[in-house]
Amino acid sequence: VLEGGLRLAVVGAGAFDLSPVAPPLAFDGEAPAVATLMSESVLDLNVMTRRGVATASVTHVASDAEIPL
């Protein structure tokens, strides 16, 4: 989560409070999940890969610098 906050409940894995200071969360994308907003809005980044074909990792880096898109 880049901005805001949410609670993500993933069947078989538990519930996780996600925010800009929380570590990245990896979970089975086939598992049923329910998100509950903990703030008015949320901006998040998702990385999805095909199991057995590709791998990915996410590293949280904090910065006050603006990056143009």
Side-chain angles (χ1 to χ4, degrees):
V1 171
L2 304 173
E3 295 176 4
L6 63 87
R7 171 167 281 196
L8 184 66
V10 181
V11 172
F16 306 90
D17 289 340
L18 303 176
S19 71
V21 297
L25 175 65
F27 63 94
D28 180 355
E30 294 174 347
V34 175
T36 304
L37 294 179
M38 295 170 51
S39 60
E40 188 171 311
S41 63
V42 173
L43 175 64
D44 72 340
L45 172 69
N46 295 299
V47 177
M48 294 179 254
T49 59
R50 186 173 301 276
R51 191 175 21 255
V53 175
T55 61
S57 64
V58 175
T59 302
H60 181 261
V61 177
S63 174
D64 290 330
E66 287 196 26
I67 301 172
L69 300 177

